[in-house]
Structure formats: C-alpha cells, structure tokens
Amino acid sequence: MAPVKATGAAAAIFSMAIISYILCNSRFKFPWRTSISKSRARKGLVDAIGNTPLIRINSLSEATGCEILAKAEFLNPGGSVKDRVAVKIIEEALYSGSLARGGVVTEGSAGSTAISLATVAPAYGCKCHVVIPDDAAIEKSQILEALGATVERVRPVSITHRDHFVNIARRRAYEAAELAKGRGEAGRAETNGFVHVNEDVQVKGDHLHIYADDCKGGYFADQFENLANFRAHYEGTGPEIWEQTGGDLHAFVAAAGTGGTIAGVSRFLQEKNPNIKCFLIDPPGSGLFNKVTRGVMYTREEAEGRRLKNPFDTITEGIGINRLTKNFMMAKLDGAFRGTDMEAVEMSRFLLRNDGLFVGSSSAMNCVGAVRVAESLGPGHTIVTILCDNGMRHLSKFYNSQFLSDHGLTPSATGLEFMNIA
C-alpha cells in the first residue's frame, strides 16, 4: 500500500503546484481578481463620475426569461444619475462665461439633481443654493446642508405660480447676479440663455443675505429646460450602455422627470440601431403616459375638470410631470407603460430580498417598467434600465412603514405576484 500512498501524495502535490501556477499566472483572470496596480487613478471627484457598471438583475431576468440589465448609477460619487447632469451643466456654463468661479449655482429640485450640484460645485470653485418643496423627504435637505449648500424649503404650488420652487430658484440666480453686478463683479446670469428675466421680476432684498460677500454672480441650472441635461446622457450614458452590451440589446425603459436621461439614451441608442425599442414608465399623476400613447398632455382627472391638488399624486420622487420639457421633447419613444405606487413599493422590497439591491423609488419604478417591457416583448430579449439612486434618500417616506400604512401602501407580496407573475 505504501507505493499507492506515495503516488497519491505526489499527485496531490503536483495538483497544488498546478493550481498555484494558475492562480499566480497574470494571464489567467478570475472575475474576483483585479490588478489594483494596473487600474487608472481617477483625477479627482469629477473624473470619478460615469462609467458605472451595468449589472444583471438576476431575479427579474430569471422570472421573465429576458436579460434585464440595469445601469448602477447610484455608484456615482454623489449617489445618483444626476451627477452626470450636474457636471455637464456647470462645465458648459463655465465655458460659455455664464458662470464664473466663485459664483453660485441655483436650482429648484426635489432632491437628486440638487444633491449632485452641491456635490460637484465645490470642485469648480462654486457654491450651490437649492429651493426644494417642503414635502420632499427631509433627509434630502439634510444631505444638502451637510454638503454646504444653502437650502430654501417652500410649499408646493403649480409650475405656473411665481413661487413654484423652480421659479424661485430662477429669481435667486438673478439676485446673486444683481448683487455681484452692484459690486462691480462679473455676474452675467441675468442675460444668459438659461435665465429668462422678465420685466416683472422683482429682486427681493431680504434674500440677498444667502450669498457670500465675495459671490461672483449667479447661474440658474434649469435642469428641466437646459439641454446640457440631454447632452450628458447622449454623450455619456447612452454610449456606455452601447459599449457595455456590445450593441446587443433590444429595449431601453426609464421613467422621466426632467426627461434628460430617457431622451439622451433613447436618441443615442436608436441612432446606433433603429430596431432598439425605447419605452417610458410613468407614475400616477403624470401626463407623459398620455402624451406618448395618445398625443394629449393631461390626465383623466384633469380632463374631467378635477385637477389634483398636487399633480404629482405619487410617493415616487423626481419622476412624473404634467408639462413637456425641452429635454423630454428630444426623446425617441416607441411606447409607454403606466406604473403604480404599490408596484414600485413591492418591487423595491422584492429587489432587496432577492438581489440585495436597496434602491430608491424611481429605480424601483424603472424595474417595474423593465418587467412590463419583458412581458410585452416576450422571453429571449435584452432590456436595459437605470438604477437612479439607492434607498438612503427615501427613508422617511418610501421606506417608512408608518407613512406607507397611512397611504394604504404596506407591501405584502412574497414574489412577483404584484406584477401578475407567479
């Protein structure tokens, strides 16, 4: 028996040697082995934005028979897809001379774009002032203040009202520009292409204290109408998706707030391959579904003369709108689906249980859209969507059990039965 034992030992030693050689051979790549020495160091915060991974959502892919892939935009430094937009807006404004280093960037935002602007602005030597509706999740304004932005919370009103948060943000840029001009500083925001100042605009002196003594003017980011938003995705997100899939995809789906993401990505992908289908997923209270499917921009409630007190009658934040923006009008869409708050809530919990993905409300709605597209196209297709941000900015509402209970949205599904999938 001794020779047999010796032979077995020799074989074991030989096998270990082979395994050690393979593991040490740099030409043999395992997915969990990366060479830190060969990875390029990013040059500062701005250079770290974009090139986010495209991940397979295993649970949804297996349930639908499609490859459902998602761009993990929550891995951007500022935590959302809006980092791309913030960089593009500020860089184009600096290049055009509409914004100067030392100036203040203002924006009216329900959260993510504002957080991205507050994150990125210091890298360009600028400040940030944000006007936010007071029904937005409180943690968003807390994050903004921690980032050094000044935050102005106001009551939600119609976009046609002069005190809508977006219109107030526009005025704040004008005020900063006037303040700088009064000191002889180079503040040109009142004449740039994105700040439309009418003769009836009043400068409220009681708000001038929000600007530093050395403020070099103001610039209104205007994420809804500023086509830098569209260009950020046409030049960045769309090409990345094309490269990461090798052009082998059949559909793209996303919700729209400003419309920049869905417009930039859809237009790029369809220019590369007109056979790629692009779809909108729209939350309650938004008129975009009707616009895409029927060509009319209103909800049933509005058509019947029962306009909602708050047209964004949904717990999803940052998506859904009742007007056409310049950014959204750039989109090339083949159709639209309607999603519900209950589906978004259930989807977020399903993804957390089955994939370890802790996503925000708009990301959950996008995944609802991906399943709808999979059902429409049938098995065997590759569908891409966007994971806009994670759930950390949605704790007080979307992930608050009491809040959901008060609105009749307590999740109870164990699988995908809420999408009619057994």
Side-chain angles (χ1 to χ4, degrees):
M1 296 297 293
V4 174
K5 288 182 180 179
T7 302
I13 292 171
F14 180 74
S15 297
M16 289 301 296
I18 292 295
I19 292 172
S20 297
Y21 171 79
I22 291 173
L23 290 174
C24 293
N25 188 345
S26 61
R27 291 175 297 177
F28 191 90
K29 299 296 182 184
F30 285 96
W32 61 85
R33 293 185 73 225
T34 58
S35 176
I36 296 176
S37 62
K38 291 184 179 181
S39 57
R40 180 180 68 85
R42 302 291 182 96
K43 296 179 180 178
L45 174 81
V46 172
D47 197 35
I49 294 171
N51 292 309
T52 54
L54 188 67
I55 63 175
R56 181 180 190 263
I57 302 183
N58 293 328
S59 63
L60 299 184
S61 298
E62 291 160 8
T64 62
C66 289
E67 285 294 293
I68 294 183
L69 311 177
K71 202 86 164 77
E73 290 296 294
F74 61 85
L75 294 178
N76 279 310
S80 85
V81 66
K82 297 297 186 178
D83 282 12
R84 299 174 184 268
V85 179
V87 167
K88 193 67 172 172
I89 286 175
I90 292 178
E91 287 189 346
E92 288 193 5
L94 288 168
Y95 181 80
S96 69
S98 300
L99 175 67
R101 290 182 65 87
V104 59
V105 180
T106 73
E107 183 58 293
S109 170
S112 289
T113 301
I115 291 171
S116 292
L117 286 168
T119 300
V120 169
Y124 295 97
C126 298
K127 301 289 187 180
C128 186
H129 177 76
V130 179
V131 185
I132 189 170
D134 61 13
D135 61 349
I138 187 63
E139 55 267 32
K140 292 185 178 180
S141 58
Q142 291 172 333
I143 293 170
L144 285 165
E145 289 171 348
L147 288 169
T150 52
V151 180
E152 194 174 345
R153 292 175 68 88
V154 300
R155 66 185 180 89
V157 293
S158 168
I159 186 65
T160 60
H161 196 289
R162 77 182 304 274
D163 287 332
H164 184 274
F165 61 94
V166 170
N167 296 330
I168 293 175
R170 180 183 286 108
R171 290 205 300 274
R172 296 295 174 260
Y174 178 76
E175 292 167 9
E178 287 293 290
L179 184 65
K181 188 167 66 174
R183 291 197 306 266
E185 300 286 358
R188 295 194 290 162
E190 76 276 19
T191 58
N192 73 56
F194 304 121
V195 179
H196 307 290
V197 180
N198 301 318
E199 292 181 359
D200 61 350
V201 171
Q202 299 294 320
V203 177
K204 295 183 177 180
D206 59 336
H207 287 100
L208 296 180
H209 69 277
I210 66 177
Y211 307 114
D213 292 338
D214 60 350
C215 176
K216 299 296 192 300
Y219 179 81
F220 176 44
D222 200 7
Q223 60 169 324
F224 287 87
E225 308 300 334
N226 189 339
L227 289 179
N229 184 346
F230 160 80
R231 287 188 287 272
H233 299 290
Y234 180 81
E235 298 172 8
T237 318
E240 287 175 26
I241 290 172
W242 179 260
E243 181 180 356
Q244 289 169 320
T245 59
D248 186 18
L249 72 157
H250 301 95
F252 172 77
V253 60
T258 63
T261 303
I262 196 168
V265 174
S266 67
R267 184 164 286 270
F268 179 85
L269 291 178
Q270 291 203 350
E271 286 178 3
K272 297 295 287 187
N273 181 356
N275 293 321
I276 296 174
K277 303 296 183 183
C278 296
F279 300 95
L280 169 77
I281 177 72
D282 210 30
S286 173
L288 295 179
F289 172 84
N290 293 308
K291 180 62 179 178
V292 173
T293 58
R294 300 205 303 268
V296 291
M297 189 65 188
Y298 55 76
T299 64
R300 179 175 291 108
E301 292 83 356
E302 290 173 313
E304 296 172 354
R306 300 198 306 269
R307 183 174 179 83
L308 301 172
K309 180 179 179 182
N310 180 357
F312 309 106
D313 190 16
T314 175
I315 63 166
T316 60
E317 293 186 349
I319 56 175
I321 194 171
N322 269 330
R323 72 182 193 276
L324 289 178
T325 67
K326 290 181 180 178
N327 283 288
F328 185 80
M329 287 190 287
M330 297 295 292
K332 298 185 69 174
L333 300 176
D334 295 282
F337 298 90
R338 178 73 83 186
T340 68
D341 280 348
M342 193 74 252
E343 288 170 341
V345 171
E346 292 282 17
M347 179 62 76
S348 68
R349 275 56 175 186
F350 178 85
L351 294 174
L352 186 57
R353 288 194 306 270
N354 293 278
D355 300 271
L357 291 171
F358 181 46
V359 301
S361 57
S362 54
S363 300
M365 187 65 81
N366 283 349
C367 291
V368 169
V371 173
R372 288 277 181 259
V373 173
E375 291 175 322
S376 174
L377 297 182
H381 293 88
T382 298
I383 300 157
V384 176
T385 191
I386 304 287
L387 297 181
C388 313
D389 64 0
N390 64 33
M392 294 301 292
R393 299 175 184 177
H394 303 264
L395 298 178
S396 64
K397 294 176 67 176
F398 194 66
Y399 282 97
N400 184 310
S401 298
Q402 186 60 55
F403 179 88
L404 294 179
S405 177
D406 292 344
H407 290 77
L409 295 170
T410 299
S412 60
T414 57
L416 284 170
E417 60 267 27
F418 61 94
M419 297 291 296
N420 296 318
I421 297 177

